Each structure stands twice: as structure tokens, then as C-alpha cells.
Amino acid sequence: MTDTVITGGLVVDETGERRADVVFGDDGTILAVGDDLSASRRIDAGGCIVAPGLVDLHTHLRQPGGEEAETVETGSRAAVLGGFTAVVAMPNTDPPIDSASVVREVLALGEASLCDVAVAGAITIGRKGETLAPMAEMAALGCTIFTDDGTGVQDARLMRRALEYAGDLGVRLAQHCEVDALSAGGHMNEGEWSSRLGIPGIPAEAEELMVMRDIALARLTGTHVHFQHLSTAGSVAMVAAARQAGLPVSAEAATHHFTLTDEACAAFDPIFKVNPPLRTPRDRDAVASGLADGTIDAIATDHAPHPTHRKQQPFDEAPPGMLGLETALALALTELDMEIPAVLAAMSWRPARIAGLARHGRPVAPGEPANLCVIDPEATWTVDPEASASRSRNNPYAGRELRGRVRHTVVSGEAVVLDGEALR
């Protein structure tokens, strides 16, 4: 067995901070943590943070069916460059991940990827919201989280049944909260800017009504509900109240919802079209505050690649979504009023727990899995979409200067990123 030492870094994990070297073996485990350690190979972490690898609850890898935009391999390369050692692949593929056979296909693709790829199964067959998918079969293959992401389960009775079923299976449901009857025909946030631009809007209430309903269903069933990509101040307030009441809920926020507002759509550039849409400055600030005070548990990327020719269509015809894996950490470190341990909590151990990924977000300690990222918190860099590892280029932060960058990433004892370069 060959061992490697990461030297000169400040270890930050859920247990606290300490300056220490970290030795890991290619068997995938951490062998030692302490002062002045040596090994056959050395990775420099001078001036850096050594942390558990990041975990993304919300990644669109597009495979099967969307290989023009992304593959499991290219998405995983973008992930490790962003410090992620595990991602949860969303099921809105073609065909959707709503059966054991498609779960097996994606898991097989993930075996050759650069990071661990967990698979989210669909709640309903075809994500149509009509019939429950065979959740037990998919759970038996390792699916721990289920969602119809891209759409919310509209039928309250069906969602109740799904929650009861999930409770029995010991898995978690994640909801894309959007009432179709209110969002139909909309392409951006309904408000001042949609009126100015003449673009049909999606009201905040389209999200908030489903958040309200599913909080009630969590109370009724006693089963945990995870709210995906919260975008409105009202949603954040309802989740805060639910948590104070002791209800089993958790939530995530996407990076674009705490860094951008609907004003970004002023030039009709569809690169800023997402679902749920960019909201108002008040909503953006509420999402950031919700992350800072812990109301929102996790930062997710909602990494949603699209081929350039599709994103360059007129605003109302272009698909929603933007890239996120390679910029999420730096956006959080640059834009949020949060200390690094709090950012890491929202991007590593909390999302790992929500997704049930027992080998990720773990303390940096002997015997633990060697899933690590090394972050230079003071490095500044300028976003260049053309340099992305993704197959797509729909990155809205082109030219933006960010602070904080991943220097190294280790997945199961393999250094897959060294000095900011992916090794395969």
C-alpha cells in the first residue's frame, strides 16, 4: 500500500480546527493525523484548509439521454475540481430514473467517475405525478433520496402516500416546490422586472404554497421532507417556523439564489433563466440569512448544463438552468457572511447526512474514509466558462472575480485533483 501525507494545512471538520498533517492510504482510509508526519508521497497544503470533501445534493449529470450537455464522467470531473467528493444525480434524465434498471445504469456509469455518484430516484413514474415509482426496488439498490426534481408532486394525496412509503423504507423525499397551476407559462420571477421586460412571470406563491402544503404533510405523516433550492423569503420563513415547531424538515439553497436577482434578466439573456427563477433582492438576502442562521441546512449547486445552441434561444424558449459545480464553494466564500467552518458545514457534513452518504462529510481522523478537499481560502480567480470541465458553457459568472479555490481533492484515497488540475 502506498501512503500520502498532506502537509502544512489547517484541518477543519465538524469537530473543530487544528493544525495537522494528514496521512491517507490508497486503500481509501485516513491512516494518521498529527504533527510532522511523513509518507512516501507528499501533497503541499501550506496556507490551505484541509476539510472533508464537499457533497452536492443537487446535480444534473444528464445521463442517460442528455449526453450532449453532460455525462457522468464530465460532470464528476467538474465536481472534483469544485472540491466535491460526492454528488447526488437528479432523476430528470431521458429516460427518467424511475426504475431499478435505470438506477443500475447510472450506478454503473458512476463506477468510472472521479467522485462518488449517488442516484436520486424519481418519486413517481416518468416524474408525471400520477403513480408512485417502485421506490423499494430503487432503495434496495442504494437510492436514499427520491425527488421528481424539475417539477413538484402536485397531488397532495399522492405526496402523502409517498411520504408514508418513504418513512417505511427509511429514505428521504426531496421536493421541487412549484404549483404548476400558478407557474404555467412563466419564465422568470413575477414582479417589477417581468413587467418591464414583458416576460410572463412565476409568482413566489407558486413555490410557497407547496412548501406550506408539504410542511403540513410532514406534520401529518411524521416523515422528513427536504425542500430543494428555496428561492423566496416566504419559503425561508416557513421552514424556520417549521423547524422551531420541531417538524422533520430540511432545506437547501442554490448558489445563484444568494448571488443573483431577477434584474440579471434585464438584457433578455437566457443564461440567467433558472427554475425556480432568480427572485428579488429581498428574497436573495433572505436566502443568504437563512444559510447564515442555519434555517437552510445546505448549499447545493443545481448544476444544470445545457448545450450552447439550446441556451442561445429566445428567453421564453430556452431551457432553465446554469452550471454550478466549479464555482459553488468560491461563490459561498465570496458572497456569504459566513465563516469557513459554517460554509463547510453547509457544503459537506450536513448535505452528507441529508443524503445518507455515510462515507462523506466525516471527521478528518484515523480510520475514516479519505474523502478530502484542500482549499486555498485566499486565492482569487476569474471565472472562465471556456475552461470548465463540463461539456456545457452556460455559466452566468463569466468574468467574475471570486475568492477561494480548491487546490487538491482526494476521493477514496486517490488524489483526483492536484494543484487545481484533474488527474484523469
Side-chain angles (χ1 to χ4, degrees), residues 137-300:
E137 294 179 16
M138 292 188 281
L141 293 172
C143 291
T144 58
I145 194 163
F146 291 80
T147 175
D148 276 0
D149 182 49
T151 187
V153 177
Q154 304 297 305
D155 186 325
R157 183 179 180 185
L158 188 65
M159 187 62 185
R160 174 184 178 175
R161 287 181 54 206
L163 282 167
E164 291 169 343
Y165 201 28
D168 291 341
L169 291 172
V171 298
R172 187 151 294 181
L173 296 194
Q175 183 73 289
H176 170 120
C177 291
E178 183 176 25
V179 174
D180 289 349
L182 286 176
S183 65
H187 300 284
M188 64 174 293
N189 180 54
E190 182 176 295
E192 176 187 353
W193 281 100
S194 66
S195 296
R196 286 193 193 188
L197 301 172
I199 297 175
I202 300 172
E205 286 77 6
E207 174 177 307
E208 292 166 0
L209 283 174
M210 191 168 284
V211 171
M212 184 186 303
R213 183 201 74 180
D214 285 358
I215 288 173
L217 291 176
R219 180 188 301 112
L220 176 65
T221 62
T223 303
H224 191 113
V225 178
H226 176 71
F227 295 109
Q228 297 175 297
H229 43 43
L230 291 187
S231 71
T232 80
S235 295
V236 177
M238 284 189 283
V239 169
R243 293 172 74 100
Q244 289 172 1
L247 297 178
V249 300
S250 58
E252 68 186 37
T255 48
H256 42 270
H257 286 129
F258 62 76
T259 57
L260 300 169
T261 69
D262 53 355
E263 185 178 358
C265 304
F268 296 95
D269 187 345
I271 203 165
F272 295 102
K273 182 178 179 180
V274 286
N275 185 24
L278 302 177
R279 302 288 188 181
T280 68
R282 174 175 172 268
D283 295 309
R284 177 201 58 195
D285 294 347
V287 169
S289 296
L291 283 164
D293 68 19
T295 297
I296 301 175
D297 304 82
I299 295 170

Side-chain angles (χ1 to χ4, degrees), residues 330-354:
L331 285 166
L333 294 174
T334 304
E335 300 289 340
L336 292 173
D337 185 20
M338 294 169 63
E339 298 295 329
I340 289 177
V343 170
L344 292 173
M347 298 190 72
S348 180
W349 44 92
R350 282 194 205 143
R353 284 201 195 107
I354 290 169

Side-chain angles (χ1 to χ4, degrees), residues 10-28:
L10 178 68
V11 174
V12 179
D13 61 14
E14 195 171 9
T15 68
E17 303 177 10
R18 63 276 189 198
R19 195 158 293 282
D21 298 338
V22 179
V23 177
F24 63 89
D26 56 12
D27 67 341

